[in-house]
Amino acid sequence: MFLRSILTTLVSGPAPDLYLCDLKSGVELGMFRRLTCVKGFGMSLDDVRRLASEIEAEMISDTCY
């Protein structure tokens, strides 16, 4: 419940890019998955690994400039 409140507050203003992982099959954070600021949503460990790799690649490409 606390996390939902934080996310609701975040997306109410200029929303940052969000990558959300909900290993409870989307029960907790599924309501946020279709927001335009959500760049990735994972519901399994494989999803989490894939998202972490995407984030890492983005961080590496940002530091190369």
Side-chain angles (χ1 to χ4, degrees):
M1 192 67 167
F2 180 67
L3 182 57
R4 283 190 201 178
S5 296
I6 292 171
L7 289 173
T8 301
T9 301
L10 277 174
V11 300
S12 296
D17 291 345
L18 298 175
Y19 293 85
L20 303 176
C21 298
D22 185 349
L23 298 179
K24 295 180 183 178
S25 300
V27 172
E28 292 291 325
L29 304 177
M31 65 190 326
F32 298 101
R33 85 182 293 176
R34 301 216 190 292
L35 295 175
T36 56
C37 62
V38 176
K39 303 302 178 193
F41 189 86
M43 293 191 299
S44 69
L45 289 178
D46 287 336
D47 292 341
V48 173
R49 287 184 193 103
R50 179 183 50 79
L51 289 173
S53 293
E54 289 176 16
I55 294 166
E56 181 182 32
E58 185 176 334
M59 288 172 30
I60 289 170
S61 71
D62 285 349
T63 59
C64 290
Y65 290 104

